[in-house]
Amino acid sequence: MPTTKALNVFFETASTGYYCDIVSGVYKTVDTCNTWSRVFQLNGDTTGLYPFFLNANTGFIFTGDGNLYKTQDGAATWQQIGKNIVTSNPPYPRWNTLLFTTDLTGYYGNEKGLLKTIDGGASWQLVNPNGGTVNIIRFPTPDTGYYLCDKVIYKTTDAGKTWSTSCKLAVDHFLGMNFVNATNGYACTANGSIFRLTP
């Protein structure tokens, strides 16, 4: 289903996934992209929609205007958990990331830094004040995580309490980061470099 401002994609399984359009909302497929149905929509331009699903039923969406929503029935219905958590008005959407390691513990990387919740999204604390245009968070284990923002990748080994610099670029900037398992991760840059990350 074509839309005008698709921003990101999240797949919970090989066949079930979501993509977000900042104007028309969030769409879901359960048949490996053959068909899509809209499952979330807000009035107006939210400057971004960032989803994360723990399993087939439980998922979250962070909106670009700082609101958090939760579903417990596979996106059939949504409940607003938080409002105005972190707000900004950038001239274009950021590539932010929402990630939950449990139904209570979650992280949100955005242009103002990295936020953490330990109560399912009801309250959030800033655990890393650095942010950029590209903000990606990955936790290959519950305690060991990486936070990418533009030219720097930060690492934590204590579930976000403290952070150290894992990799820093001088002139290039990062565009992506992911882990294939708990011991192998990769990051790529705008100039085509690929870095391997090992927890």
Side-chain angles (χ1 to χ4, degrees):
M1 176 179 292
T3 58
T4 57
K5 290 187 178 182
L7 178 63
N8 54 49
V9 176
F10 179 90
F11 269 75
E12 191 266 320
T13 68
S15 59
T16 301
Y18 303 82
Y19 83 85
C20 303
D21 184 291
I22 62 174
V23 174
S24 57
V26 179
Y27 295 80
K28 179 180 180 179
T29 181
V30 294
D31 56 10
T32 320
C33 303
N34 289 310
T35 59
W36 294 86
S37 59
R38 185 161 54 194
V39 295
F40 184 87
Q41 184 181 19
L42 294 173
N43 295 325
D45 188 338
T46 66
T47 68
L49 292 165
Y50 308 98
F52 184 84
F53 275 74
L54 278 167
N55 51 53
N57 293 319
T58 304
F60 302 83
I61 290 178
F62 219 120
T63 68
D65 51 4
N67 301 319
L68 180 70
Y69 296 83
K70 181 180 182 179
T71 181
Q72 294 179 291
D73 53 16
T77 60
W78 294 88
Q79 175 188 4
Q80 187 169 5
I81 302 298
K83 185 176 182 180
N84 297 323
I85 298 166
V86 55
T87 59
S88 62
N89 294 299
Y92 51 87
R94 308 290 184 173
W95 279 267
N96 298 340
T97 306
L98 176 65
L99 181 146
F100 277 78
T101 55
T102 71
D103 58 346
L104 294 178
T105 302
Y107 303 85
Y108 178 58
N110 65 95
E111 66 268 22
K112 294 186 177 180
L114 181 64
L115 302 175
K116 180 180 180 180
T117 180
I118 57 173
D119 55 12
S123 62
W124 295 79
Q125 178 185 5
L126 184 68
V127 294
N128 190 317
N130 301 290
T133 301
V134 178
N135 306 284
I136 301 173
I137 182 72
R138 296 286 184 259
F139 269 78
T141 72
D143 290 326
T144 300
Y146 291 83
Y147 172 48
L148 178 156
C149 60
D150 292 344
K151 294 180 179 291
V152 184
I153 297 176
Y154 299 95
K155 180 180 180 180
T156 181
T157 57
D158 55 12
K161 293 179 182 178
T162 60
W163 295 84
S164 61
T165 300
S166 176
C167 183
K168 186 175 183 178
L169 303 177
V171 293
D172 202 355
H173 61 274
F174 289 106
L175 289 181
M177 178 179 65
N178 212 344
F179 280 79
V180 294
N181 53 45
T183 57
N184 289 289
Y186 300 88
C188 62
T189 72
N191 289 338
S193 297
I194 297 177
F195 294 80
R196 182 177 179 182
L197 304 170
T198 54

